[in-house]
């Protein structure tokens, strides 16, 4: 009976609805038969504003321009479309120094035979190296109430409701690392945040020899002004798309 009441709650007309499972008042997406609600609790001192989005499936059902204020909550809603449901990438950036990111990836298929296959991923502070890969490798959401808090993510999340309507609660930590753009030839950005290099090993390393090959002639010796342009042109001709 309780499940039937919750299901009916998610199919009411588009009015303010109090959701009994997560104990919060949700807006228009509560009227959706299928969709995603991301409920964010920002415990940091940063104000985040939407910087970009990629929706592979579904559409916004709430105001996307709403900022995520410090020490407050914000809700973002998405309506499913077609058989793919709701699937997308979102990223926000702080509106002060623009050095702190909040990135999310979600996938909530309409048809989920067997066990639920909805996935979610979040990271705060530093931007992921590849947000599409985060979406592809995101873990399935566990039954309602089970929390995910990966090392280095600087945020935690849990599913408050898994059904036709997916409700994900996200908690952003108070202390967040800042992204520092690496200098040319310097260490990668995550090195400035004190993360171990072993935790994020690049797939291919760029050696000093490869730099020398790019800017020096193949006869060896120091780079000269005459050899650098020709070496760069040869490298560009080999690697640029055709």
């Amino acid at each position: 009976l309780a499940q039937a009441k919750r299901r009916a709650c998610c199919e009411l007309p588009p009015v303010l609805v109090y959701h009994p499972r997560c104990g919060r008042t949700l807006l228009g997406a509560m009227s959706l038969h299928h969709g995603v609600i991301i409920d964010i609790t920002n415990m940091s001192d940063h104000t985040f504003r939407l910087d970009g989005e990629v929706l592979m499936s579904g559409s916004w059902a709430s105001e996307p321009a709403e900022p995520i204020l410090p020490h407050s909550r914000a809700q973002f809603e998405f309506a499913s479309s077609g058989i793919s449901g709701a699937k997308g990438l979102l990223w926000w950036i702080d509106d002060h120094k623009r050095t702190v990111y909040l990135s999310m990836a979600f996938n909530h298929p309409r048809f989920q035979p067997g066990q639920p296959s909805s996935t979610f991923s979040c990271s705060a502070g530093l931007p992921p190296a590849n947000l599409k890969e985060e979406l592809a490798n995101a873990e399935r959401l566990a039954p309602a109430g089970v929390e995910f808090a990966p090392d280095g993510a600087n945020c935690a999340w849990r599913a408050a409701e898994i059904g036709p309507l997916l409700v994900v609660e996200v908690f952003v930590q108070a202390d967040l690392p800042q992204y520092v753009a690496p200098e040319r030839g310097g260490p990668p950005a995550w090195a400035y945040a004190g993360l171990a290099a072993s935790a994020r090993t690049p797939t291919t390393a760029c050696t000093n020899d490869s730099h020398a090959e790019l800017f020096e002639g193949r006869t060896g010796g120091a780079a000269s002004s005459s050899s650098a342009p020709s070496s760069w042109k040869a490298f560009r001709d080999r690697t640029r798309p055709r």
Side-chain angles (χ1 to χ4, degrees):
L1 180 59
Q3 291 180 352
K5 288 182 178 179
R6 285 196 297 272
R7 190 177 300 111
C9 170
C10 296
E11 297 179 0
L12 288 175
V15 294
L16 289 176
V17 179
Y18 177 78
H19 195 276
R21 183 63 175 270
C22 62
R24 299 183 182 179
T25 300
L26 306 176
L27 299 177
M30 287 303 302
S31 66
L32 302 175
H33 292 166
H34 198 279
V36 175
I37 295 176
I38 302 177
D39 192 322
I40 304 171
T41 300
N42 181 17
M43 296 181 285
S44 74
D45 295 329
H46 302 285
T47 296
F48 294 98
R49 296 189 183 276
L50 188 67
D51 188 55
E53 64 181 80
V54 178
L55 294 180
M56 294 83 163
S57 179
S59 59
W60 285 91
S62 63
E63 176 53 57
E66 178 185 356
I68 305 174
L69 300 177
H71 308 287
S72 64
R73 290 206 311 247
Q75 294 173 355
F76 298 95
E77 308 168 358
F78 302 88
S80 296
S81 61
I83 62 174
S84 300
K87 179 180 181 180
L89 311 172
L90 308 166
W91 59 96
W92 292 262
I93 192 170
D94 75 290
D95 65 354
H96 179 46
K97 295 184 178 180
R98 301 182 65 82
T99 56
V100 182
Y101 288 78
L102 178 61
S103 308
M104 299 182 192
F106 64 90
N107 182 20
H108 183 47
R110 186 180 294 274
F111 298 108
Q112 304 186 33
Q115 295 182 346
S117 57
S118 299
T119 61
F120 187 85
S121 178
C122 176
S123 62
L126 302 179
N130 190 320
L131 195 52
K132 288 186 177 180
E133 289 186 1
E134 295 293 321
L135 175 62
N137 299 326
E139 295 187 44
R140 290 185 178 183
L141 289 167
V146 178
E147 185 174 286
F148 292 82
D151 293 338
N154 300 306
C155 58
W157 62 88
R158 65 188 179 193
E161 184 81 17
I162 301 179
L165 186 68
L166 175 65
V167 181
V168 181
E169 296 177 329
V170 179
F171 304 90
V172 180
Q173 294 182 2
D175 298 324
L176 300 175
Q178 297 186 24
Y179 173 77
V180 179
E183 298 179 0
R184 185 173 182 178
W190 43 261
Y192 291 96
L195 302 179
S198 59
R200 302 193 180 204
T201 304
T203 54
T204 57
C206 186
T207 63
N208 291 333
D209 293 340
S210 62
H211 282 287
E213 182 178 320
L214 181 60
F215 293 107
E216 296 178 7
R218 292 186 177 273
T219 57
S224 64
S225 59
S226 60
S227 62
S230 60
S231 299
W232 167 247
K233 183 177 185 300
F235 174 80
R236 183 191 61 188
D237 292 341
R238 290 198 308 269
T239 58
R240 68 181 180 183
R242 291 177 171 81

